[in-house]
Amino acid sequence: MQKQLIISIGTGRSGSASLSSFLSEQKKMLVLHEGRLEKEKIRKLIKWENDEEELFKWIEYLLNYNDDIKFIGDTGMYFLPYIDLIIKKYNNVKIIGLEREKNEVVNSFLKKTDGRNHWYSHNGNEWKLDQRWDPCFPKYQIKDKRKAIEKYYDNYIETTNNLKIKYPDNIKIWKLSDFNNTKTKNEILDFISYDNNRIIEKEFKKNTKMKSQRELILNKIKEWFSA
């Protein structure tokens, strides 16, 4: 069986880690999350612009990685600008993703990137320069960080919707709110033509436990100070 290439896209902060975890739980399948290959101690990110050479080197590396794996792929918001090129080279690629509500994505990014701004070209005076992640996002001439992220979200969803219309056989996106339904999980596996036994009963919520623990600690601190 020839390997099935899977590319998972999305704005980020949209359930992509949970989706990767769900897919990688399936037999003979491995879908990385933002280029992290733990076993090989590799972390490969792709720049938002002008990184075609590295992109295709990375995809070829994945397609040649571990012959026992029959479904292989990666997740990253930065794949979006290259979708046309990816489909042109790999006609049978399946591009999937989850879509989260705009305000939830924006607020999550604001918390996650406190002190940094990936959506605006800057010299490091107002925000910390991030050599790893800054190149992975588009830049806007909008100094208000919230508004820049909102613009990013709108552009991302619009581009994704246009690509879905253009390539209906290659691209399908689901709502994050529906992700842990058995029906949705089966739809995702059907779309990528996964024909082995399926692990769909358990919930896949990556990082939720850590977030809950942080919130519990913060709430406990607030209780101490208000006592």
Side-chain angles (χ1 to χ4, degrees), residues 8 12 21-22 33 40 54 57 61 75-76 90 92 95-96 100 111 139 141 150-151 161 163-164 181 202 227:
S8 177
S21 177
F22 160 64
H33 184 248
E40 311 297 339
E54 290 301 311
K57 281 182 181 178
Y61 176 86
T75 302
Y90 307 99
N92 194 43
I95 296 160
I96 60 177
R100 188 180 183 185
K111 291 179 182 179
K139 303 295 180 283
Q141 293 303 310
E150 289 174 346
K151 180 71 171 178
N161 287 338
L163 287 167
K164 282 162 54 181
N181 296 336
K202 63 182 284 190

Side-chain angles (χ1 to χ4, degrees), residues 29-207:
M29 189 184 308
L30 176 64
V31 177
L32 310 184
H33 184 248
E34 295 171 345
R36 189 187 296 276
L37 189 55
E38 301 283 2
K39 186 177 179 181
E40 311 297 339
K41 297 182 179 180
I42 290 175
R43 185 69 184 272
K44 180 63 178 179
L45 302 178
I46 302 298
K47 297 176 183 177
W48 186 266
E49 295 181 331
N50 304 317
D51 210 14
E52 292 88 348
E53 184 176 351
E54 290 301 311
L55 167 71
F56 289 119
K57 281 182 181 178
W58 177 236
I59 291 176
E60 286 298 317
Y61 176 86
L62 293 177
L63 289 172
N64 288 286
Y65 178 77
N66 193 334
D67 291 340
D68 291 333
I69 296 172
K70 302 306 179 184
F71 295 79
I72 188 83
D74 194 6
T75 302
M77 75 293 292
Y78 39 70
F79 288 122
L80 185 70
Y82 305 102
I83 294 302
D84 282 302
L85 293 175
I86 292 172
I87 293 176
K88 184 177 180 181
K89 185 164 184 176
Y90 307 99
N91 304 120
N92 194 43
V93 62
K94 295 298 182 180
I95 296 160
I96 60 177
L98 299 175
E99 182 180 323
R100 188 180 183 185
E101 292 296 326
K102 180 177 179 178
N103 285 339
E104 293 177 5
V105 170
V106 173
N107 290 333
S108 183
F109 262 128
L110 287 171
K111 291 179 182 179
K112 180 70 174 179
T113 63
D114 185 34
R116 296 172 290 153
N117 189 344
H118 304 315
W119 302 268
Y120 184 74
S121 295
H122 60 90
N123 56 15
N125 289 334
E126 187 172 354
W127 294 285
K128 180 181 177 181
L129 290 170
D130 189 330
Q131 301 296 335
R132 169 176 282 184
W133 286 105
D134 284 348
C136 297
F137 291 86
K139 303 295 180 283
Y140 302 95
Q141 293 303 310
I142 303 174
K143 289 187 177 181
D144 186 306
K145 184 177 173 182
R146 174 179 287 275
K147 290 181 179 178
I149 299 174
E150 289 174 346
K151 180 71 171 178
Y152 162 71
Y153 180 95
D154 291 340
N155 286 352
Y156 203 106
I157 298 302
E158 180 182 7
T159 300
T160 301
N161 287 338
N162 289 337
L163 287 167
K164 282 162 54 181
I165 295 170
K166 187 176 181 180
Y167 303 108
D169 294 333
N170 297 93
I171 304 174
K172 191 165 184 178
I173 308 295
W174 289 264
K175 296 289 186 182
L176 174 60
S177 56
D178 296 329
F179 169 58
N180 268 304
N181 296 336
T182 299
K183 178 176 179 292
T184 301
K185 292 175 187 171
N186 274 319
E187 286 179 357
I188 294 171
L189 294 176
D190 287 344
F191 184 68
I192 63 175
S193 301
Y194 184 77
D195 55 2
N196 292 318
N197 292 333
R198 300 178 174 190
I199 300 174
I200 58 175
E201 298 303 325
K202 63 182 284 190
E203 286 198 355
F204 294 85
K205 292 184 177 180
K206 198 75 171 177
N207 300 328

